[in-house]
């Protein structure tokens, strides 16, 4: 079952059993490989024309891949076959952490499975020329939050992408809606496809820039960036700052807490237009929190988003967490940009064990 972190404490992922702490980022440069010269006359294969996705086909994609991304799997090749983009990046980071610390998770008490509505809501894009297509899906799943024993029923929004007709569909992005009735409200054109892009001049913020502005507002002191943020966004900023302040106080003299964030400034996937004239924009960021307990001190996690990291006295550790956020950008210059759905997922962990 996929584990998430509460938005207000996204930088406090691992839950500590001892006092002092509680509870995503650079990508390695790909190595160029030598390839034989390609004749100048060669080119990409002609795209295969494809009719619009039927609702049944789209629902099938959502159901199939949603089940596959729930796997607690530590095989990188598995994730390369079912995910891309932010989700693939996050899963590969978890796999690498598993190589260092193992894949065993402590057993936790759990009650009966949570009841979920089987309905799957879908919106799809694409052209008849066989080029890439996207699906935005929304359906209920049983979710689990780090530090909580019981699962809960949540409405998950997910993005799925197909590079071209005949290529596999891959899961790219997931986020929790605040309540089960919070459907995306995507506009649909006469052809049955979701409306994407279009004229954005009348929106409260430019979708091309709003992800960077959101990250800057939450994690830096640069101000609002000219965007009017809703109260829920302001509350997350305030709560996160208060949480970090409390952690530094708990660490006391000799302890250390450093925070950094890698913000993806461009949105992921299309800009989905909504029935009220607004837009939905998918944003990602990876936060990095380094905690050092200080001389003669250590902490032990009772719960953690990473396998193999509980029950060990850590003298210092670095947690990286990927935030996946769908922003609702309303129509009208005076509108407030808000969070429509959000998940915070374990990314990577590095720790130094206490020798005391």
């Amino acid at each position: 079952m996929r584990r998430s972190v509460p938005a207000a404490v996204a930088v406090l992922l691992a839950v500590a059993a001892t006092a002092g702490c509680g509870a995503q980022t650079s990508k390695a440069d790909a190595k160029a490989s030598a390839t034989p010269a390609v004749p100048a006359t060669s080119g990409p294969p002609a795209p295969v024309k494809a009719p619009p996705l039927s609702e049944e086909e789209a629902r099938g994609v959502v159901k199939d891949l949603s089940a596959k991304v729930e796997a607690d799997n530590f095989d990188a090749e598995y994730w390369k076959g079912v995910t891309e983009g932010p989700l693939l990046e996050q899963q590969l980071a978890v796999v690498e952490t598993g190589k260092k610390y193992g894949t065993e998770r402590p057993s936790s008490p759990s009650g009966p499975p949570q009841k979920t509505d089987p309905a799957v809501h879908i919106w799809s894009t694409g052209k008849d020329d066989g080029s890439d297509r996207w699906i935005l899906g929304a359906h209920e799943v049983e979710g689990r939050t780090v530090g909580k024993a019981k699962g809960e029923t949540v409405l998950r929004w997910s993005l799925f992408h197909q590079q071209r007709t005949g290529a596999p569909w891959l899961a790219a992005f997931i986020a929790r809606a605040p309540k089960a009735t919070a459907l995306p409200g995507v506009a649909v054109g006469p052809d049955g496809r979701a409306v994407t892009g279009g004229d954005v001049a009348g929106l409260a913020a430019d979708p091309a820039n709003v992800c960077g502005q959101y990250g800057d507002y939450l994690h830096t002191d640069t101000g609002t960036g000219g965007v009017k943020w809703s109260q829920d966004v302001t509350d997350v900023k305030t709560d996160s700052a208060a949480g970090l302040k409390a952690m530094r106080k708990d660490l006391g003299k000799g302890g250390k807490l450093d925070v950094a964030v890698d913000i993806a400034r461009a949105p992921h996937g299309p800009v989905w237009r909504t029935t009220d004239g607004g837009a939905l924009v998918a944003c990602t960021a990876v936060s990095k929190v380094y905690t050092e307990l200080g001389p003669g001190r250590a902490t032990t996690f009772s719960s953690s988003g990473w396998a193999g990291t509980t029950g060990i006295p850590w003298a210092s550790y670095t947690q990286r967490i990927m935030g996946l956020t769908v922003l609702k950008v309303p129509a009208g210059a005076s509108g407030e940009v808000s969070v429509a759905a959000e998940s915070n997922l374990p990314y990577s962990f590095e720790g130094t064990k206490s020798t005391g």
Side-chain angles (χ1 to χ4, degrees):
M1 183 177 295
R2 184 166 291 277
R3 295 158 177 80
S4 297
V5 190
V9 289
V11 296
L12 318 177
L13 183 59
V15 178
T18 57
C21 62
Q24 258 169 62
T25 23
S26 299
K27 299 180 181 178
D29 293 333
K31 293 183 178 180
S33 59
T35 55
V38 179
T41 56
S42 67
V48 179
K49 291 188 176 182
L53 275 177
S54 69
E55 290 189 4
E56 182 179 0
E57 288 174 312
R59 287 194 180 95
V61 171
V62 174
K63 289 179 180 179
D64 177 57
L65 286 175
S66 293
K68 289 177 178 176
V69 300
E70 288 296 301
D72 201 19
N73 193 305
F74 291 88
D75 180 3
E77 293 306 311
Y78 173 86
W79 292 110
K80 291 175 183 178
V82 298
T83 59
E84 68 165 29
L87 266 189
L88 176 59
E89 180 185 341
Q90 182 259 337
Q91 286 295 169
L92 292 181
V94 171
V95 168
E96 287 303 308
T97 301
K99 291 179 181 179
K100 294 179 182 179
Y101 302 108
T103 59
E104 294 297 321
R105 298 187 188 274
S107 59
S108 58
S110 60
Q114 299 295 306
K115 184 177 181 180
T116 58
D117 187 336
V120 176
H121 307 271
I122 53 92
W123 297 264
S124 63
T125 72
K127 299 179 180 180
D128 294 336
D129 63 2
S131 57
D132 75 325
R133 301 188 286 187
W134 290 84
I135 298 172
L136 169 57
H139 70 295
E140 289 187 7
V141 298
E142 182 179 3
R144 187 173 296 278
T145 300
V146 173
K148 293 184 178 181
K150 291 183 62 178
E152 56 187 325
T153 299
V154 299
L155 181 68
R156 177 184 290 170
W157 294 9
S158 307
L159 290 180
F160 306 89
H161 185 217
Q162 184 187 46
Q163 291 281 358
R164 63 185 182 282
T165 300
W169 282 94
L170 300 171
F173 190 100
I174 60 174
R176 290 185 178 191
K179 52 186 178 181
T181 56
L183 292 172
V186 175
V188 178
D191 60 358
R193 296 184 175 103
V195 179
T196 59
D199 185 6
V200 299
L203 296 177
D206 185 347
N209 300 323
V210 74
C211 290
Q213 292 166 321
Y214 176 70
D216 289 343
Y217 176 66
L218 283 188
H219 304 293
T220 72
D221 296 324
T222 57
T224 64
V227 177
K228 188 174 182 181
W229 300 105
S230 65
Q231 188 61 49
D232 64 336
V233 175
T234 301
D235 288 346
V236 170
K237 179 179 176 68
T238 301
D239 292 346
S240 295
L244 290 172
K245 183 178 180 180
M247 287 177 66
R248 288 190 170 100
K249 182 178 179 181
D250 288 344
L251 284 170
K253 188 176 181 180
K256 185 177 182 181
L257 182 71
D258 292 333
V259 180
V261 182
D262 183 7
I263 302 164
R265 308 198 71 83
H268 190 77
V271 173
W272 303 80
R273 302 308 296 261
T274 54
T275 54
D276 58 5
L280 297 173
V281 185
C283 306
T284 61
V286 178
S287 61
K288 173 186 175 182
V289 182
Y290 171 75
T291 305
E292 187 176 318
L293 278 296
R297 300 177 63 195
T299 192
T300 303
F301 303 143
S302 60
S303 180
S304 171
W306 296 278
T309 59
T310 57
I312 298 170
W314 298 106
S316 64
Y317 53 91
T318 299
Q319 301 174 91
R320 288 183 174 87
I321 302 145
M322 175 173 278
L324 302 106
T325 305
V326 179
L327 295 177
K328 173 63 186 297
V329 182
S334 61
E336 296 182 345
V337 177
S338 60
V339 173
E342 184 172 46
S343 286
N344 295 287
L345 305 179
Y347 188 91
S348 67
F349 179 93
E350 297 174 16
T352 300
K353 297 177 182 180
S354 173
T355 56

